[in-house]
Amino acid sequence: MIKYYEESKTFHFTTPNTSYVFRIFGERVMEHLYYGKRLQDLEGMFPCDYGKFVSGAPIDSEFSEAESFVSTDIMLQEYSFYGSCDLRTPGFHAAYADGSRITKMKYVSHEIYQGKPKLKGLPAVYVEEKDEAETLEVIMEDELTGLRIRYRYSAFQKLDVITRNIEVENTGKKPVNIEKIMSCCLDFETSDYELLHLHGAWGRESYVERCPLMNGCIKIESRRGASAHTHRPFVALVRKETTENSGEVYGFNLLYSGNFEAGAEVERYLSTRVFLGINSFDFHWLLNPGEEFVAPEVVMTYTDAGIGEMSRTYHELYRTRLARGKWRDLERPVLINNWEATYFDFNEEKILDIAKRAKKAGIEMLVLDDGWFGKRDNDRSSLGDWYADLRKLPNGVKGLAEKIHKEGLQFGLWVEPEMISPDSDLYRAHPDWCLHVNGRGRSCGRWQLVLDLAREDVKRYIIDVLSDILSESPIDYIKWDMNRNLSEIGSDVLPPERQAETAHRYMLGLYEILETLRERFPEVLFEGCAAGGGRFDAGMMYYFNQYWTSDNSDAGERMYIQHGTSYIMPPVFMGAHVSAVPNHQVGRVTSLETRGCVAMGGQLGYELDITKASDEELEEIKKQIELYKDIRQTVHWGNMYRLKSPFESNYAVWEYVSDDQNTVVILYNKIKAMVGFERNSLKLYGIPENSRYRLRGTEKVFKGEVLNRYGLCVEAMGVNGIDKMRDYSGRVLILDRVES
Ligand code: DGJ
């Protein structure tokens, strides 16, 4: 998987279909040579003739005469440091004790070994057996300052995945101020790409956008203290002609949940530099002698088979080697959440009524959402006071949980532990525990402040209070919410020179808390949430086994949100609920069938007052859950093919093929009913040409090659009333293999 050619100091990484090549040039630079379709060997790979460029750039003074035909300003590199001759966007920038800002690295050593180590304090994809991946570590050092860099790359044996991160150690005698440290900074020879990324807002997460690269820099970022609704820490370079099923794609996903930046810079000779890392805006890190800084991991994947193939690689990697614990491979319970049913207005009796009726429909877990603690009758108080409100729950959480269990349902509880309401006992006792800057006021969002997770006492408090709740009551699931962006980011426990570390320390604190709780309570299913998908990033999925995809529960809106989310996130991570109509966010009325169809594209749940459902509706929900249980293995653990995009067509159609290829599920969602508009034959993917499949509920049998090439003419066949679908409606289609 990683071959080293001593003579040319070249490393060749291979995954099943890709190669990645770089060499050590002049003992100083890691020169990037190739990333793309797999090469058997490197015969004839002569590095680019940089001499042909007319450059005003200086030549690095450390280069020997033989090497001095080139400036690092025009070399393709694996990483770049500010201060010498590379004048493009640097990966790394630091200030040293003498006031200088120059970093010059020199090769020290390298090591190749089987396996992949954990990252200290940060999420990372992992291996279970050593032979699943091979790792290269290259050590470089700045001789003058003693700053040491470890570049770490791991290549996966069975997946087209290469991960990388960097770690910096101060082996010198004086402090170093890191101003910028990208996890990945990689040069491409040309700029004829488009940048693909996901953007959004509250209730409108993960919209897909593609824009051509331009001379200069395109950057996406978060300054909100979380990866946020606005952008995902993900970019891909795609060719203009790349589609869902064909063409080149380079995917880069940062496993980090805080402020990040990611983008692409096209320089004057039209090469492209891709960068991802912790946002350098309002960041610095004081690295004292002997200290180390670990930058988050980037997961890279290349394919020439289109965007869908990139997604399938991320899906497989993340559901098998990012997700962890007991729940990684288990079917998750179908839940009912009381939020949109009652908001803050509930009591034990109401919750039990919901549970009883839910049980009749085949629902497996009741989740008690916001409002069960302190005196929380609205969102203006009590965050931090994590004891039951006995007016609503006279028997406490324990009493309710036991009663829910008696009804034959599991019990889940909502918490928002990172927050504190100014109107809370906790705030009155510890007004200094929130993020703040003295003399600058404390701005509330949703009437709440953010706890300072850089503080040991705050971390201990959150761990202890949640440990108590989880130990005292039979709780099977936790929904961990986080409902505002960070402001006045400052910490009472950090000295002035470390204030700009606060946002990253917050994230490290959160990761530590989550890791501790997961270790203490391995049976509990943790679901993440940040006002919907406000922190639904790959970093978080190391700790949470599922995530609430969006606060927008409308089936029509979810067609877009879940489509975009699936670019990186596997369906098994996506919380998706059937809610009431008219929908509470957009007022749209869709059928129960449609709401079920869309929600089956993720982890199905219900979020409506089921006590108000008629017997007929209850019967329909029951059938819906039976159908879901029948198809969820395929949807969650099969391969997903996005057949039609709502961003480009009148449909959101998702195909899922089981691992054994015996079952094909199609979630067929239409946006607008139109007359005689499209013939709409669905060409399927991922099924064998010679097998035969029967469309469930009919006698119709199709040969694989016909499905793949001619397609399934769904509307013409009128199955499940598909020809009569109204605006924003969905149907589930299933094909069963009848002959291989
Ligand atoms: C935001 C979440 O996304 C909702 O599902 C709900 O839990 C509310 N917070 C409760 O305050």
Side-chain angles (χ1 to χ4, degrees):
M1 284 181 275
I2 306 176
K3 203 165 166 186
Y4 177 59
Y5 299 84
E6 174 66 49
E7 208 180 318
S8 57
K9 297 196 165 27
T10 301
F11 301 96
H12 181 192
F13 296 69
T14 51
T15 68
N17 302 296
T18 69
S19 279
Y20 186 93
V21 188
F22 69 84
R23 68 169 180 165
I24 310 289
F25 176 86
E27 298 227 304
R28 296 265 162 201
V29 180
M30 289 174 34
E31 183 186 9
H32 178 74
L33 297 177
Y34 178 78
Y35 189 19
K37 207 172 169 140
R38 183 169 170 155
L39 303 164
Q40 287 316 314
D41 56 54
L42 304 182
E43 192 183 339
M45 183 177 280
F46 300 113
C48 159
D49 176 11
Y50 291 111
K52 69 179 183 233
F53 293 104
V54 183
S55 166
I59 307 282
D60 292 57
S61 56
E62 283 76 13
F63 282 178
S64 69
E65 204 172 323
E67 290 151 2
S68 64
F69 61 89
V70 59
S71 163
T72 44
D73 193 35
I74 54 176
M75 273 181 109
L76 303 185
Q77 296 182 59
E78 282 293 310
Y79 202 77
S80 156
F81 298 86
Y82 173 74
S84 188
C85 299
D86 182 354
L87 303 173
R88 294 166 288 177
T89 294
F92 185 90
H93 182 204
Y96 298 94
D98 62 359
S100 71
R101 282 102 46 232
I102 295 170
T103 307
K104 289 197 179 195
M105 286 289 158
K106 188 170 182 198
Y107 170 83
V108 175
S109 64
H110 75 265
E111 186 191 358
I112 296 172
Y113 56 88
Q114 290 228 307
K116 181 176 187 294
K118 284 186 166 183
L119 289 197
K120 230 180 277 168
L122 286 169
V125 294
Y126 60 89
V127 293
E128 286 195 333
E129 305 297 334
K130 278 196 163 169
D131 61 3
E132 288 176 19
E134 206 160 51
T135 296
L136 163 71
E137 292 189 1
V138 180
I139 310 277
M140 294 231 181
E141 192 172 309
D142 182 350
E143 289 162 313
L144 198 64
T145 62
L147 196 71
R148 230 167 210 250
I149 296 243
R150 177 184 292 113
Y151 300 91
R152 190 181 289 124
Y153 296 78
S154 299
F156 276 70
Q157 203 207 345
K158 293 208 175 116
L159 279 171
D160 288 318
V161 167
I162 296 172
T163 60
R164 53 182 288 189
N165 90 308
I166 78 168
E167 295 175 10
V168 186
E169 191 189 343
N170 185 354
T171 68
K173 293 196 166 48
K174 299 200 170 127
V176 176
N177 257 302
I178 302 173
E179 309 283 355
K180 175 178 190 179
I181 178 164
M182 291 294 99
S183 294
C184 166
C185 165
L186 179 63
D187 292 339
F188 288 76
E189 197 178 348
T190 62
S191 60
D192 47 349
Y193 296 100
E194 293 180 350
L195 189 90
L196 170 78
H197 70 108
L198 303 169
H199 66 99
W202 175 80
R204 178 170 52 78
E205 294 88 341
S206 288
Y207 269 46
V208 179
E209 185 170 58
R210 268 170 86 154
C211 46
L213 298 188
M214 57 171 207
N215 286 289
C217 196
I218 304 182
K219 186 163 102 171
I220 57 162
E221 64 181 327
S222 170
R223 299 174 179 191
R224 294 166 185 275
S227 55
H229 298 91
T230 35
H231 288 111
R232 301 296 182 215
F234 154 79
V235 290
L237 289 191
V238 298
R239 299 286 184 189
K240 195 172 172 196
E241 62 277 9
T242 297
T243 66
E244 182 68 20
N245 299 303
S246 69
E248 288 196 296
V249 186
Y250 295 90
F252 300 86
N253 194 192
L254 183 72
L255 301 195
Y256 187 60
S257 314
N259 292 341
F260 73 92
E261 59 183 301
E265 181 189 41
V266 175
E267 56 80 63
R268 60 205 162 138
Y269 298 117
L270 303 184
S271 73
T272 301
R273 171 164 291 173
V274 171
F275 54 88
L276 287 92
I278 295 172
N279 202 336
S280 53
F281 174 79
D282 195 35
F283 166 86
H284 79 215
W285 196 272
L286 176 62
L287 202 66
N288 279 323
E291 288 180 350
E292 196 183 33
F293 183 88
V294 182
E297 179 163 278
V298 171
V299 179
M300 307 191 294
T301 181
Y302 165 80
T303 176
D304 63 356
I307 298 160
E309 186 61 18
M310 172 199 75
S311 300
R312 284 184 290 283
T313 302
Y314 279 129
H315 291 181
E316 191 174 341
L317 179 73
Y318 291 168
R319 72 177 172 236
T320 62
R321 293 293 179 265
L322 175 64
R324 296 178 296 162
K326 158 181 160 173
W327 287 102
R328 184 188 73 181
D329 304 321
L330 286 185
E331 288 173 347
R332 323 283 153 78
V334 177
L335 63 83
I336 186 155
N337 178 305
N338 73 306
W339 179 241
E340 287 195 16
T342 65
Y343 295 103
F344 295 99
D345 184 16
F346 61 84
N347 55 28
E348 185 184 273
E349 203 186 335
K350 177 73 191 170
I351 299 299
L352 281 171
D353 284 349
I354 292 178
K356 283 180 190 153
R357 196 130 170 94
K359 174 71 185 166
K360 285 202 177 119
I363 290 173
E364 297 158 315
M365 178 162 73
L366 179 127
V367 176
L368 181 63
D369 211 280
D370 196 353
W372 59 267
F373 52 91
K375 293 193 174 53
R376 192 152 162 99
D377 293 330
N378 51 47
D379 51 12
R380 295 186 179 216
S381 81
S382 302
L383 292 168
D385 298 346
W386 299 111
Y387 44 81
D389 180 349
L390 298 178
R391 295 170 308 159
K392 295 182 189 173
L393 305 180
N395 302 300
V397 171
K398 184 164 184 252
L400 175 66
E402 284 170 352
K403 287 185 184 173
I404 298 285
H405 277 179
K406 259 198 207 121
E407 295 299 331
L409 292 171
Q410 296 173 52
F411 178 75
L413 192 67
W414 178 97
V415 288
E416 195 179 359
E418 297 162 64
M419 298 293 152
I420 182 165
S421 306
D423 181 7
S424 67
D425 294 344
L426 187 70
Y427 190 75
R428 285 181 279 274
H430 300 285
D432 52 335
W433 273 15
C434 63
L435 291 174
H436 65 277
V437 177
N438 289 321
R440 292 288 174 194
R442 298 177 180 195
S443 306
C444 281
R446 209 195 187 203
W447 293 278
Q448 62 202 50
L449 296 164
V450 184
L451 284 170
D452 177 2
L453 305 194
R455 293 177 68 121
E456 282 306 316
D457 46 6
V458 171
K459 283 190 281 185
R460 288 305 118 215
Y461 164 77
I462 294 177
I463 290 170
D464 290 348
V465 90
L466 282 166
S467 297
D468 288 349
I469 292 172
L470 284 165
S471 315
E472 278 161 15
S473 307
I475 294 171
D476 305 290
Y477 156 110
I478 285 285
K479 176 177 172 186
W480 184 294
D481 206 349
M482 191 274 193
N483 280 298
R484 61 158 290 184
N485 299 149
L486 275 46
S487 64
E488 287 103 22
I489 301 175
S491 173
D492 258 4
V493 293
L494 295 175
E497 64 278 16
R498 287 196 182 272
Q499 283 298 317
E501 297 177 9
T502 310
H504 182 55
R505 284 188 184 273
Y506 179 93
M507 206 41 67
L508 293 177
L510 177 61
Y511 288 149
E512 185 189 327
I513 293 167
L514 291 170
E515 187 67 17
T516 310
L517 290 169
R518 277 187 64 100
E519 271 169 19
R520 281 194 193 167
F521 302 96
E523 300 295 315
V524 173
L525 172 58
F526 286 91
E527 171 157 348
C529 175
R535 210 168 45 188
F536 193 178
D537 56 67
M540 275 293 144
M541 300 321 291
Y542 191 61
Y543 306 94
F544 295 121
N545 282 97
Q546 57 191 58
Y547 213 95
W548 179 226
T549 311
S550 176
D551 270 352
N552 194 336
S553 63
D554 171 67
E557 298 301 298
R558 280 294 188 113
M559 292 176 195
Y560 296 84
I561 294 167
Q562 291 175 203
H563 190 93
T565 301
S566 78
Y567 271 51
I568 21 183
M569 293 301 175
V572 73
F573 287 177
M574 284 188 226
H577 297 174
V578 171
S579 59
V581 287
N583 172 267
H584 291 195
Q585 292 78 42
V586 297
R588 187 175 286 129
V589 176
T590 51
S591 68
L592 193 50
E593 182 177 24
T594 297
R595 282 173 275 155
C597 175
V598 175
M600 284 187 216
Q603 289 291 346
L604 177 71
Y606 290 79
E607 191 157 335
L608 39 72
D609 190 349
I610 203 164
T611 61
K612 296 199 179 119
S614 66
D615 288 348
E616 292 73 42
E617 282 169 330
L618 202 71
E619 195 50 35
E620 195 179 336
I621 292 176
K622 197 171 170 189
K623 292 219 172 80
Q624 205 163 62
I625 293 171
E626 280 163 13
L627 172 63
Y628 169 70
K629 287 183 178 168
D630 192 18
I631 63 172
R632 70 176 157 190
Q633 271 292 332
T634 303
V635 173
H636 294 162
W637 281 281
N639 278 315
M640 178 183 187
Y641 298 86
R642 290 179 295 257
L643 301 185
K644 284 189 183 280
S645 162
F647 298 102
E648 292 161 10
S649 76
N650 192 29
Y651 301 86
V653 183
W654 309 316
E655 176 200 355
Y656 309 85
V657 181
S658 63
D659 256 0
D660 58 11
Q661 297 176 312
N662 285 342
T663 312
V664 180
V665 174
I666 299 167
L667 301 180
Y668 186 85
N669 302 300
K670 186 179 207 159
I671 296 169
K672 207 167 135 192
M674 290 166 125
V675 175
F677 202 72
E678 273 183 81
R679 188 173 156 272
N680 213 14
S681 67
L682 292 179
K683 293 183 182 52
L684 305 190
Y685 291 85
I687 53 177
E689 303 255 292
N690 289 325
S691 294
R692 289 191 162 72
Y693 290 85
R694 176 177 294 122
L695 186 59
R696 202 178 282 184
T698 75
E699 289 309 311
K700 292 184 168 52
V701 173
F702 305 85
K703 197 154 176 222
E705 61 181 6
V706 172
L707 292 170
N708 290 341
R709 295 179 209 162
Y710 178 76
L712 189 67
C713 297
V714 275
E715 303 225 3
M717 291 186 313
V719 182
N720 293 0
I722 221 165
D723 53 334
K724 299 190 180 60
M725 282 168 67
R726 300 281 171 252
D727 291 355
Y728 293 100
S729 51
R731 297 284 187 280
V732 181
L733 298 172
I734 303 166
L735 289 154
D736 298 299
R737 177 142 71 171
V738 287
E739 200 183 299
S740 13

